[in-house]
Amino acid sequence: MWALLLAALSGAAMAVQGSLNSILGKFIGLLPATLLVHLVGTLGVILVCRWDGSAWGKLGEAPWFAFLGGLLGVLIVYGVAASIPRLGVANATTAIIAAQITMAVAIDHFGLFGLKAIPFSWWKAAGMALLVLGTRLLLMR
């Protein structure tokens, strides 16, 4: 239950963060805003977390593609900040969630990146169909 609550809070925070980033982007530009958001986030982690540095010793054990998360984070922040002023928060978030769930189902099904494979089922197909319908309804003007 805690993991679901944390995921829901992350989703809510994403809508707020995207809105704030798009506002910042209007003042200083999207690329500088994206950089600043990551710098502030990094500073926040440094100030809040106190680790002894032993985790850094295992850095070389991580697969090369695990490091792409940082680049994807920049793409995500930029894409959200760029799409919200044009589409609105609800429409941008709808497109984000639809694409995110579609990719998540594919990652689960194929067990990509070394994650546990979770087979596709008719229930998931029904959920995806409802997602498509819901997305269509939310994006109607």
Side-chain angles (χ1 to χ4, degrees):
M1 195 59 153
W2 172 248
L4 284 175
L5 179 61
L6 185 60
L9 288 172
S10 296
M14 186 177 176
V16 173
Q17 182 205 35
S19 301
L20 298 176
N21 294 349
S22 68
I23 292 168
L24 184 60
K26 288 179 184 178
F27 288 95
I28 65 172
L30 284 175
L31 285 175
T34 300
L35 174 63
L36 185 58
V37 164
H38 281 86
L39 290 174
V40 170
T42 300
L43 180 60
V45 170
I46 289 170
L47 292 175
V48 172
C49 297
R50 295 191 178 122
W51 59 78
D52 61 9
S54 63
W56 295 104
K58 295 183 179 187
L59 193 59
E61 297 175 27
W64 68 270
F65 55 83
F67 296 95
L68 297 177
L71 290 175
L72 289 172
V74 171
L75 175 67
I76 291 164
V77 169
Y78 181 86
V80 171
S83 63
I84 283 178
R86 291 174 178 88
L87 300 174
V89 179
N91 286 342
T93 303
T94 298
I96 290 163
I97 291 170
Q100 188 175 24
I101 292 172
T102 301
M103 182 57 71
V105 167
I107 291 168
D108 278 350
H109 178 72
F110 295 108
L112 299 178
F113 314 117
L115 298 171
K116 177 184 163 201
I118 301 171
F120 193 74
S121 67
W122 288 107
W123 288 110
K124 288 184 184 177
M128 293 299 293
L130 291 171
L131 175 67
V132 169
L133 176 62
T135 300
R136 177 75 175 125
L137 290 173
L138 284 166
L139 294 177
M140 290 178 72
R141 297 201 179 249

